[in-house]
Amino acid sequence: MAEVVSDLDSYVHVELEEENNRCTSSNEGQNEAPVTQALFQEAEDCESSESSESSGDDSGTDHFGTEKSGTQLQRCEHHDESSSNLPDTFQTSHLLFYERFKAYQDYVLGDCKPSEVKAFTADYLDKVVEPCDWQALWSTDVFDVLVEIQDVDFKELKAIVRLVLPLQCEAKGCELNEENMKSLLEATQHQVPLKELHVVYEESGEFDQTALAIEHLRFFYKHIWRQWDEEDEDDDFDYFVRCVEPRLRLYYDILEDRVPSGLVIEYQTLLDNCSKVFKQFSVLRSGMSDSDSELDNVSMVEGLKLYDQLETYKRKLHIIENPLLRYVLGYKGNARQQFVQSRGPRDSGLRVVHVVTSSCTTVQLQSLLNDSLIMHIGCNKPPSFSSLIVVIEKKGKGDSFIDSTGATVKISNIKFIQHDAIEGIVCVRQGNLDMENCVLQCETTGVIVRTSAQLTMNICDLYGSKGAGIEIYPGSVCSLIGNGIHHCKDGILVKDFADPLDAMPSITMENNVIHNNEGYGVILVKPSIGEEQAVSLEKFEGNVRNPLSDDYSGDGSDGDLLAVSARKWQLCRQLSRSKEATCSRPVQDLLNHEIFVSIQGNQFRRNGMSDFGTFIC
């Protein structure tokens, strides 16, 4: 068997670069510092007022400072294609993760429950937003119009406004005049949602905190709040910890290209579907009466089905939003992957190797051809790479590095170096991949073996993964012989959480050395629902609460369908309430697990948590 050559003087170094298409403003860094300084000016104020606080002076509770020495926010110029003379507004949309995190945690939400979010938000706005005598652009999908704020209804999160005359307005695809706008305001009783207001730029600094506060309100209801949050029956949890922080982290992970594009599409699709089902469920629930008519019974069954769908969507959203579960559970596929399909065998029956590179010299290419290919022309033997090692190094951000979808693919004597990737260094999506004498220098996840795919990995060295060195999905076949897997978060992660139709993975592990991993050498991921929950559900007796109303209905005369639906709903609630109960623990009997076809001769050394463990999610 060929050995990896350590003499790198003769290797071919192939670099793969991916263009970063993100547009970054040249003065973005200049904008962030003043915003940070304005947002956390109270930190300095607290230090300077420490003595006054100890003497009983409550001036230290003014978290946003009262001294105005000029604005510390940047100007957001109003760009348009017409001759509109709308004024500029404050630039508040480029806040950093930490700035929003601190604002929501310390000032806006604190430890409130979902049902208290609106009250806490109103209280925060009441403390920092100027109640009147400031101007803003009322911005909607149809128009931008300049208004003056006369009063603020903090409880309803609305402002009472009047038009600034002469009318300063920019229409978007329609024609508006002063009469139209006055009629619109009269119809709304001159009340405008605060989140639709953008404070007009003022150099004095007097309205800095008003602009920032409205930005926090606008961002929260656009990216964090969900219509169904307030209806969560488990109202005893910290809303910030459970929902706000993970959703905020996900938003910035997506913004900074740390989430695969397919997963972003999947998340948005789940959000849309969940919103539609929630609306249907709400309409059905509001239309139900207290009678026991056959129509109401049918509606209740339909409502339970919608409720079941809603809880399923919510749980899937939670998996993607939670950073830990996002790493552990991953996702089974996405829209982008559907276009990655093997073309099948060629008509000639020959195999063709494509080398795609953004930087490869003629000398390197000639070396590759001379040492590996030309010497075998005219022979019926496959080329040998025993005297050559190819280094493929990826630079630039992107979803994936190496995707394998062919029926039979073999890779040998190649070193992969991963930089700035989002997914694993190698992903076997379908077919069979045979890797031999390879080195995999990872940065994110290592090798991923998807459902129904097959991986044979012999005498390879894998290290550096911030996730698992190897992720094995249900229904896959994986043979690992004579490899080194080390200095990763976990060595090998086996997923046993998929749909009932998916078979368990089939794993062969022989003579591997798994060492110096931060977590476990081998970890099995399992769902949290177990026999205890199933037994308790079957033994559930008495009345079952109807989620569509505040009534309780028995399981006698309403028929078997209602009873089954009620049981299903109860199980769904148990899952929902236990979705934060995740834990990992070392185990001793994983060697005997049926997922292993053969497991022998392996060495486990200096793994941080244990050699074997399970993660209950």
Side-chain angles (χ1 to χ4, degrees), residues 101 104 109 112-114 117 220 223-226 228-230 232 234 237-251 267 314 317-318 321-323 579-580:
F101 178 94
Y104 290 130
L109 301 173
C112 73
K113 301 176 177 60
V117 166
F220 175 79
H223 299 291
I224 306 297
W225 179 254
R226 308 286 182 250
W228 48 87
D229 285 351
E230 195 169 7
D232 199 316
D234 189 6
F237 62 82
D238 187 328
Y239 179 70
F240 177 84
V241 173
R242 171 128 163 216
C243 297
V244 178
E245 180 181 358
R247 290 172 186 171
L248 187 62
R249 289 187 183 277
L250 176 61
Y251 173 84
Y267 180 72
K314 287 166 62 176
L317 287 170
H318 173 77
E321 291 169 350
N322 186 295
K579 60 186 175 183
E580 287 295 325

Side-chain angles (χ1 to χ4, degrees), residues 19 100 104 107 175 182 233 282 365 512 533 561:
E19 182 179 357
R100 297 191 192 276
Y104 290 130
Y107 308 128
E175 293 186 4
K182 286 184 176 179
E233 293 181 4
S282 300
L365 184 58
N512 301 284
Q533 287 177 302
L561 183 58

Side-chain angles (χ1 to χ4, degrees), residues 418-429:
Q418 181 187 47
H419 297 290
D420 293 325
I422 301 175
E423 294 190 20
I425 192 169
V426 174
C427 182
V428 190
R429 300 200 183 277

